[in-house]
Amino acid sequence: MNLNALKKMDKDDLLNLIGLESRRSAAEDVLPVIGAFAAGLLVGAGLGLLLAPKPGTQLRDDLRQKLQTGQEYLTNQLNRGESAPAQGTQSSVSRTA
């Protein structure tokens, strides 16, 4: 092996020549996993939309109605909590360990 052949080698080739390898970073291990997870999310969402039992407009209307019902429930609970008489130092909720 001559000097010109050594000049053309990169770091990994030189390390491999003496029986070593470069240290892998954590990003090299994590990035493929994150990419596969993201691809799985996209495929799952696409299949969910394709196999949905309702058309999109009906599904959006149902979601909107459930969100409004939930918002009304929370508003009623908050209003009921504000109008409750003060109990002084005692709490109406019992605490158990």
Side-chain angles (χ1 to χ4, degrees), residues 3 9 12 17 19 26 43 47 56 59 63 68 77 79 89 92-93 95:
L3 188 59
M9 290 183 158
D12 291 328
L17 186 65
V43 169
L47 286 174
L59 184 63
L63 287 173
Q68 287 174 349
Q77 292 297 317
N79 289 338
T89 58
S92 62
V93 176
R95 294 183 182 180

Side-chain angles (χ1 to χ4, degrees), residues 22-80:
S22 61
R23 182 179 289 172
R24 294 180 59 173
S25 69
E28 291 176 5
D29 293 334
V30 173
L31 287 178
V33 173
I34 292 173
F37 181 74
L41 280 176
L42 290 174
V43 169
L47 286 174
L49 290 173
L50 287 174
L51 302 174
K54 296 179 182 179
T57 55
Q58 187 180 3
L59 184 63
R60 284 191 298 273
D61 289 341
D62 288 349
L63 287 173
R64 188 177 300 114
Q65 183 181 7
K66 287 184 186 217
L67 286 172
Q68 287 174 349
T69 303
Q71 184 180 11
E72 290 169 3
Y73 173 78
L74 287 174
T75 303
N76 289 338
Q77 292 297 317
L78 288 174
N79 289 338
R80 190 169 58 153

